Amino acid sequence: MPEYGYFLASEEHDPAALVEQARMAEQAGFQALWISDHYHPWNDAQGQSAFVWSVIGALSEAVSLPIETAVTCPTVRMHPAVVAQAAATSAVMTQGRFRLGLGTGEALNEHILGDPWPPLSVRLEMLEEAIQVMRRLFTGEEVTHHGTHYTVENARLYTVPEEPVPIDISGFGPKATALAARVGDGYITMMPEEEMVTRFRKGGGGAKLVSGGTKVCYGPDRDECVRTVHRLWYNELLPGEMGQVLPSPRHFEQLQELVTEDMVREKSVCGDDVDEHVSALKAFADAGFDRVYVNQIGPDQRGFFDFYRTKVLPQLG
């Protein structure tokens, strides 16, 4: 049976709100936290995007739940040696309850320093080399590395946890899933697809942690929930690779008209139907996931946590 966690949306809420949501999540019975790592929100309506490592420091004092970034890109905007230091410190502050979720990123967040945005094949190479660098640094030993994409000179992390930080790799296609199976400590994907879980496990992932997540919008008025999702998170329903290649929130805003409220109504969990919420999360359990994270879209966070505490989580065990 999976564990169920809460997904903190850095793009939609300010740091104080995220910390308060984490407290409410723990009180409601959620067992873990995800937190997104973005430089920009997907659109201006979301309106936030705090530096995730500062927020993790606050979370480490506010709650006792495991925390994971979902996900960090350690390849372009931030050098892997710097990400390694941030992750190691987070693991120390949480007394070993931190996992580092990694992915190949999006141009939205990673192009801001003017660097080229490479194709996926190169981004996967960069991610694998970044993981090699970070794992060496997690040992606390001095590291010098001259690789294809990264150079590290005489770097040593003095503040490191007792055990190396576990690294989970995000994958939505066969190449990234294969990388996760080969070099990751776990696998992250956002759809309850049994085929991808099987691909990971048979490709070398074995019994390693598989995590997934979904977004919902709880509220007594389903139509109002649909409008809230359409206003804030229509980007979730954009087709193809646009999420990886568009460079700014305004480009996503230009595509909002591609997503209709009827599409949201069909594809998203909206409203207060307990069975609908339970079914959406059980789909991940049925597909073989070990942890499932859910995010509430919109302002009614207190209502969401009360709803899940009393009606949804008890049905999930």
Side-chain angles (χ1 to χ4, degrees), residues 56-69:
I56 289 170
L59 292 173
S60 73
E61 291 295 306
V63 298
S64 61
L65 298 177
I67 302 167
E68 180 167 15
T69 54

Side-chain angles (χ1 to χ4, degrees), residues 217-222 225 270-273 277 296 300:
C217 188
Y218 161 80
D221 185 334
R222 188 168 192 265
C225 289
C270 294
D272 59 357
D273 186 317
H277 284 262
Q296 162 70 355
D300 191 6

Side-chain angles (χ1 to χ4, degrees), residues 12-212:
E12 192 184 335
H13 302 281
D14 67 32
L18 294 171
V19 173
E20 180 58 25
Q21 289 167 25
R23 292 192 182 101
M24 290 191 289
E26 186 166 35
Q27 292 165 3
F30 286 97
Q31 298 165 286
L33 296 172
W34 261 0
I35 184 167
S36 54
D37 180 2
H38 268 226
Y39 195 89
H40 293 136
W42 296 98
N43 55 64
D44 283 0
Q46 292 174 355
Q48 296 289 334
S49 205
F51 188 58
V52 71
W53 303 105
S54 300
V55 181
I56 289 170
L59 292 173
S60 73
E61 291 295 306
V63 298
S64 61
L65 298 177
I67 302 167
E68 180 167 15
T69 54
V71 293
T72 294
C73 179
T75 59
V76 178
R77 169 170 49 105
M78 290 181 67
H79 193 284
V82 178
V83 175
Q85 185 183 29
T89 299
S90 297
V92 170
M93 292 187 72
T94 58
Q95 299 179 323
R97 293 178 284 108
F98 178 76
R99 297 181 75 93
L100 179 61
L102 298 180
T104 57
E106 307 92 12
L108 175 72
N109 302 302
E110 306 306 325
H111 84 292
I112 60 168
L113 302 180
D115 297 291
W117 184 237
L120 177 61
S121 59
V122 175
R123 301 202 313 268
L124 286 168
E125 288 179 6
M126 295 173 74
L127 180 58
E128 183 167 4
E129 185 177 336
I131 291 169
Q132 294 170 357
V133 169
M134 290 188 290
R135 284 213 165 112
R136 290 180 63 191
L137 286 165
F138 288 153
T139 66
E141 299 176 357
E142 185 178 291
V143 173
T144 294
H145 172 89
H146 297 279
T148 303
H149 301 286
Y150 302 106
T151 297
V152 179
E153 290 281 0
N154 308 115
R156 179 184 173 189
L157 296 182
Y158 280 80
T159 301
V160 293
E162 293 183 3
E163 298 293 333
V165 179
I167 294 175
D168 299 335
I169 300 174
S170 173
F172 306 112
K175 292 181 180 179
T177 302
L179 178 64
R182 184 161 50 83
V183 305
D185 298 308
Y187 175 52
I188 293 170
T189 192
M190 299 304 289
M191 296 297 293
E193 297 178 349
E194 185 177 2
E195 177 186 353
M196 299 304 291
V197 176
T198 300
R199 184 187 294 269
F200 168 76
R201 297 208 185 281
K202 290 187 175 179
K208 294 177 181 177
L209 185 72
V210 175
S211 302

Side-chain angles (χ1 to χ4, degrees), residues 3 264 279:
E3 294 180 335
V264 172
S279 177

